[in-house]
Amino acid sequence: MDLRAIAMGLAFALMWSSAFTSARMIVADAPPLTALALRFLVSGLIGVALAAALGQSARLTRAQWKATTIFGLCQNALYLGFNFVAMQWVEASLAAIVASTMPLLVALSGWLIFGEKLRPLGVLGLMAGVAGVGLIMGTRLSGGVDALGLLYCGIGVLALTFATLSVRGASSGGNLLMIVGLQMLVGAALLGVAALALETWAVNWTPRLGLAFAYTTLVPGLLATFVWFLLVQQIGAVRAATFHFLNPFFGVATAALLLGERLGVWDVVGVVIVAFGILAVQMAKATPLR
């Protein structure tokens, strides 16, 4: 793995993790589904316009349309939709920790459902990940965390896991930025319908809301997704996913720095254990069985 790939992986992990903090800022002043639908509309239009300017076509392959639809539904509408709603009641650090378990859930599903072989290091990683999450959840639940918000975070990460398992080769065939933009528009359409049905327009216009919305739209929304696909193209999905082990650290650090969220000793211990579990699973997958 060269320095360029490492820099891209670090940048992706930081951008992806910071989205929970900016989302927490947004939902404090705006209805979550409406804000998220507008975010995807803006970022999707920008992505499609940039792709068209670069000569990319919306005439995608069948596999690319499948990826666009599944990611638009599962990743953008369901995963982020449930997380935005949950963050009205759940701290950004906890939402980031739950979402960061996606690589563990993907590995566990591949092992139990699809019969994929996993090295002993991977099994150890899964056990550590489960233990770390259990430690954090036990501490938070005893401290009075909102159970419905936590449930929504769980549903969201399951939707993201399904999308990851369902789509393979999404970045092949060219038109990368066009795919990113179109899947944003799919998410915007689905979330827009939900917002019209479930929410009323009530926005508290503040500078923080404007800055958080702009940041979330352009950086985690558009740039991070594009960097991720580039990283997968360069080093492969398994090696790229190794950078997910940084997400618990970056997620809680960003929330602590910008929102002042406090972390207990057991939270820190749990984050370290979860990060180790993710790294162990990815390292095991990167080393083929003989």
Side-chain angles (χ1 to χ4, degrees):
M1 191 181 300
D2 58 24
L3 290 177
R4 181 171 179 265
I6 293 173
M8 290 171 61
L10 291 173
F12 164 75
L14 181 57
M15 290 187 289
W16 189 90
S17 303
S18 67
F20 298 92
T21 294
S22 58
R24 178 79 166 167
M25 295 177 181
I26 290 171
V27 301
D29 293 311
L33 296 180
T34 300
L36 190 57
L38 290 174
R39 166 200 157 176
F40 281 132
L41 177 61
V42 173
S43 57
L45 290 175
I46 292 173
V48 169
L50 288 175
L54 293 172
Q56 296 186 15
S57 172
R59 299 180 64 181
L60 309 180
T61 66
R62 185 173 182 178
Q64 288 175 327
W65 275 119
K66 176 184 176 183
T68 299
T69 303
I70 291 179
F71 270 92
L73 170 62
C74 295
Q75 177 175 289
N76 296 341
L78 295 178
Y79 161 62
L80 286 172
F82 274 107
N83 269 277
F84 261 60
V85 173
M87 234 149 338
Q88 296 175 106
W89 317 299
V90 172
E91 290 186 333
S93 57
L94 181 57
I97 291 168
V98 174
S100 69
T101 62
M102 182 272 291
L104 298 174
L105 293 175
V106 169
L108 182 61
S109 299
W111 184 31
L112 296 179
I113 299 175
F114 300 106
E116 296 179 358
K117 294 182 179 180
L118 196 61
R119 296 175 64 88
L121 178 61
V123 177
L124 177 62
L126 287 175
M127 294 173 62
V130 171
V133 172
L135 179 62
I136 294 169
M137 295 309 156
T139 303
R140 293 299 183 97
L141 287 172
S142 64
V145 70
D146 186 273
L148 181 60
L150 186 58
L151 175 63
Y152 282 176
C153 289
I155 295 173
V157 76
L158 288 176
L160 181 60
T161 301
F162 175 79
T164 304
L165 288 168
S166 299
V167 180
R168 300 181 188 273
S171 60
S172 62
N175 298 319
L176 178 56
L177 186 55
M178 182 64 74
I179 293 173
V180 172
L182 288 174
Q183 72 180 38
M184 300 285 182
L185 294 180
V186 171
L190 295 171
L191 289 164
V193 172
L196 288 173
L198 301 173
E199 295 179 342
T200 57
W201 180 262
V203 180
N204 179 30
W205 298 102
T206 63
R208 188 178 79 160
L209 173 61
L211 290 172
F213 183 85
Y215 175 83
T216 305
T217 300
L218 298 175
V219 181
L222 188 60
L223 183 57
T225 305
F226 185 61
V227 169
W228 170 254
F229 278 115
L230 286 177
L231 186 64
V232 169
Q233 280 187 333
Q234 182 171 338
I235 65 175
V238 172
R239 296 177 70 189
T242 304
F243 288 98
H244 277 290
F245 92 94
L246 294 169
N247 292 333
F249 292 112
F250 284 157
V252 298
T254 305
L257 180 64
L258 297 180
L259 298 176
E261 293 185 4
R262 294 185 177 181
L263 295 172
V265 174
W266 292 115
D267 288 322
V268 175
V269 173
V271 165
V272 172
I273 295 174
V274 170
F276 166 77
I278 295 170
L279 181 60
V281 166
Q282 296 304 325
M283 289 178 64
K285 290 170 66 177
T287 306
L289 288 168
R290 296 184 182 276

